[in-house]
Amino acid sequence: MKVLILALCVTYVASRDTTSLKWNEWKNTHGKSYASHEEMKRQLIWEKNLRVVTQHNYEYDEGLHTYTMAMTKFADLENDEFNTMYLASMPADRKNELVCKKQTIDKFAQNPTTVDWRTQGYVTPVKNQLQCGSCWAFSATGSLEGQHFAKTKKLVSLSEQQLIDCSTKQGDLGCGGGYPDWAFAYINQVGGIESETNYPYEAKNDVCRFNVSEVAATLTGCVDITPDSETQLEKAVGSIGPVSVLIDASHISFQLYGSGIYYEQQCSSSPASLDHGVLAVGYGADNGQEYWMVKNSWGEGWGKLGGYIKMAKNKNNNCGIATQASYPIV
């Protein structure tokens, strides 16, 4: 019996040593450091998330999921903490909802099978919104960057900070949330948007410093795609370019996404549940499973696809990707 107890103790110590080694490796990889009183709390959360990821990936190997999870840079956060820090509470007041015209997209009799606007110069590198609920601004600039390139053949990184600081009259709340539609309305009303270089990102609300003489891109209006229609979204992405979309990103599976085609049964497609603005830059299929290629704004280190995520396509509008989609007219 003493031998058995000793063996169990040795096994436990070895397991703890391995876990601590992985914890330290993860901290080094993501440049994490904590105050002494915070370290244990973060490690315990990280270990809990590690168990979630390990179990999910075991089930993935068994064919039960279409995507993997990973110990991303957000693995030291509880899911509710993460949602508060990185997702946006979309403004409830939709008095400006009809800023974009409703339009049926019918560019193709038969849509292209695969589209990836990254390969055609329409998409800037993945950006990082940091701890600011400004995803809506990144979604808006991404779509306008694509349409500006389509017209001028010049890819210019546009200023999210200008939208954060200046589009409050249209209803946006800076780091507190907003809508790409309202960002498009603001850009149209003031005569344009500056470049990222001229008006750099700060990840906080600041005083509006827009200089119309430094405009880098303009638009003349915007289009709201037929709500809840992935067919219409496909026509828009396939024929026009990157499209701004809002999704439900509130689940631990999204926080810790790794690779593969993301399908979350608990996702909602209700407008009230949409909490993250992203950019649909294409679509395709892996082994017969269709996906949307989506650009996120959490840096290239999120997930294993360089800051992108493949989201399930034609799966009953999973996570609401087609619920509120729009793009600018240039």
Side-chain angles (χ1 to χ4, degrees), residues 115-135:
V115 171
D116 189 342
W117 292 106
R118 296 175 298 177
T119 66
Q120 300 183 52
Y122 279 62
V123 184
T124 57
V126 171
K127 303 179 184 181
N128 194 339
Q129 69 186 71
L130 303 174
Q131 290 185 30
C132 168
S134 55
C135 53

Side-chain angles (χ1 to χ4, degrees), residues 62-203:
E62 296 295 309
L64 301 178
H65 302 290
T66 57
Y67 66 98
T68 67
M69 292 174 67
M71 297 301 285
T72 70
K73 60 184 178 181
F74 304 126
D76 59 346
L77 297 173
E78 296 277 14
N79 185 235
D80 58 350
E81 282 185 295
F82 170 80
N83 291 346
T84 299
M85 293 167 67
Y86 292 96
L87 301 184
S89 299
M90 298 302 177
D93 183 0
R94 291 287 286 170
K95 63 181 183 294
N96 294 324
E97 185 173 8
L98 299 178
V99 296
C100 296
K101 66 180 180 179
K102 308 293 183 182
Q103 180 174 307
T104 300
I105 313 299
D106 193 23
K107 296 289 186 178
F108 294 119
Q110 183 174 359
N111 297 347
T113 303
T114 301
V115 171
D116 189 342
W117 292 106
R118 296 175 298 177
T119 66
Q120 300 183 52
Y122 279 62
V123 184
T124 57
V126 171
K127 303 179 184 181
N128 194 339
Q129 69 186 71
L130 303 174
Q131 290 185 30
C132 168
S134 55
C135 53
W136 57 274
F138 286 84
S139 178
T141 57
S143 193
L144 181 52
E145 286 164 355
Q147 291 309 294
H148 181 75
F149 176 83
K151 184 173 183 178
T152 67
K153 300 307 175 187
K154 295 180 180 179
L155 184 63
V156 180
S157 182
L158 300 175
S159 174
E160 294 80 25
Q161 191 64 44
Q162 179 185 335
L163 299 179
I164 292 169
D165 295 342
C166 306
S167 69
T168 53
K169 289 183 179 179
Q170 285 68 33
D172 292 318
L173 303 176
C175 287
Y179 290 99
D181 282 16
W182 295 354
F184 297 147
Y186 160 77
I187 294 168
N188 189 31
Q189 290 168 17
V190 302
I193 184 172
E194 294 185 49
S195 69
E196 197 92 54
T197 300
N198 282 343
Y199 202 141
Y201 189 61
E202 301 174 15

